[in-house]
Amino acid sequence: MPNPFFDKDIVSIKDFTKDDLEYVFESTDTISRLKHSERGELGKGRTLGYIFYEPSTRTRMSFEAAMASLGGSSIGIADLKSSSVEKGESLADTIRIIDLYSDVIVLRHPMDGSSRFAAELSQNPIINAGSGSEEHPTQALLDMYTMLKEKGRIGGLSIAIVGDLKYGRTVYSLLYGLANYDVDVHLVSPPTLQVRKESIYELQGRMKIKEHSELDEVLAEADVIYVTRIQRERFPDPQEYEKVKGTYTIDEKMLAKAKPDVAVMHPLPRLDEISHAIDHTKNAIYFKQASYGKELRAALLALMLNESLPG
């Protein structure tokens, strides 16, 4: 299969076919097996530019680490106060400037549609690292890759997605990606934080989805429990956040009700939704998940920067 990602934008997981997903996963395995010297040639002399209008730890650092592992370098804006955005520079002008200095651009912005807008302006490829409450496609890719590596498959899994399903953009990208596979999805959330109805409508007929308000209802059958943080910063009313924070907590008592080999995932950061007592169990794979993120993002960058990969 020819490389479909060379010089292409990564804006939405909806743009991916199942073949595209499998190609990325296989390429990630290929990149991971390369010798350091071979891997270091894939981004040599190339520059990753990043612009983060919202805070980030794993996404930004994993992209920087991924680019470094390919032999490239990174420049960018992680603190808006140190940039001309603080002076009122528009997103359009900021994109145009960083486009002059970079070979690929990673953007996180609170506005829906921001990455699509940036892709229309930029000569170089754009990677959506989070656009408002819409999507976070590379997070979904690494989430599915984690399931594949840890459970040996994606198709046939029973997956419980728990927490803030209304504002959590990782949830939407993950659902759109999982729609390419035969999976059972259980959506667990307070009634006020259910997945947006237009998304459920869009996915109907493509996957099996059930909605729940109680985590106990799905624990016994889930192969994967994907936990999300209640997105305090996206609530228009702080009092509404106070009503739902801490609704679900995965602790030892909860884990005892689940399958012995259930995989507990989280895009991170976490607050109180997963007890630290779970961290050292075989079920906790959220730190592995972050590690897989570096490898998958390295593969994506390599694919975007090279017409083909070695091996």
Side-chain angles (χ1 to χ4, degrees), residues 18-174:
K18 185 177 181 180
D19 284 344
D20 290 336
L21 296 172
E22 298 295 331
Y23 189 83
V24 171
F25 301 151
E26 290 169 9
S27 298
T28 304
D29 287 340
T30 298
I31 290 288
S32 300
R33 290 192 297 264
L34 290 179
K35 294 179 181 177
H36 182 76
S37 57
E38 292 179 297
R39 183 165 169 155
E41 291 295 316
L42 295 174
K44 190 174 181 179
R46 313 298 286 276
T47 302
L48 168 74
Y50 58 83
I51 318 170
F52 281 77
Y53 286 77
E54 295 179 314
S56 172
T57 300
R58 277 148 299 279
T59 302
R60 179 174 61 83
M61 291 180 69
S62 67
F63 268 115
E64 287 189 84
M67 193 63 176
S69 77
L70 300 177
S73 59
S74 300
I75 58 172
I77 301 167
D79 177 12
L80 296 183
K81 292 184 178 179
S82 66
S83 76
S84 290
V85 174
E86 183 74 2
K87 303 174 186 177
E89 183 173 69
S90 68
L91 172 61
D93 284 357
T94 301
I95 290 292
R96 289 187 178 104
I97 292 300
I98 202 163
D99 192 29
L100 299 174
Y101 306 144
S102 311
D103 297 291
V104 58
I105 300 171
V106 178
L107 172 67
R108 172 172 291 185
H109 196 281
M111 181 178 71
D112 288 2
S114 52
S115 289
R116 189 75 68 185
F117 172 72
E120 292 173 359
L121 290 173
S122 176
Q123 296 299 307
N124 289 303
I126 292 285
I127 299 175
N128 177 3
S131 55
S133 58
E134 285 182 317
E135 279 201 66
H136 191 347
T138 66
Q139 180 68 48
L141 289 170
L142 77 88
D143 290 340
M144 289 188 287
Y145 183 68
T146 300
M147 293 177 194
L148 180 62
K149 300 302 282 185
E150 293 298 314
K151 303 302 290 185
R153 70 194 194 283
I154 299 174
L157 292 177
S158 176
I159 302 165
I161 304 178
V162 183
D164 184 348
L165 310 186
K166 180 178 182 180
Y167 297 114
R169 58 192 168 204
T170 62
V171 170
Y172 293 92
S173 286
L174 180 56

Side-chain angles (χ1 to χ4, degrees), residues 283-295:
N283 310 95
I285 61 170
Y286 28 89
F287 294 119
K288 276 188 179 181
Q289 190 179 344
S291 179
Y292 286 133
K294 174 195 165 185
E295 296 303 303

Side-chain angles (χ1 to χ4, degrees), residues 243-283:
K243 291 178 183 177
V244 294
K245 73 173 184 177
T247 302
Y248 308 108
T249 300
I250 304 295
D251 54 20
E252 291 169 303
K253 184 178 177 182
M254 231 5 134
L255 201 56
K257 302 176 184 178
K259 289 183 177 180
D261 64 344
V262 67
V264 180
M265 298 176 62
H266 196 305
L268 302 176
R270 66 171 162 183
L271 298 179
D272 55 2
E273 58 272 11
I274 297 180
S275 166
H276 288 270
I278 301 299
D279 292 355
H280 300 294
T281 68
K282 64 182 180 182
N283 310 95

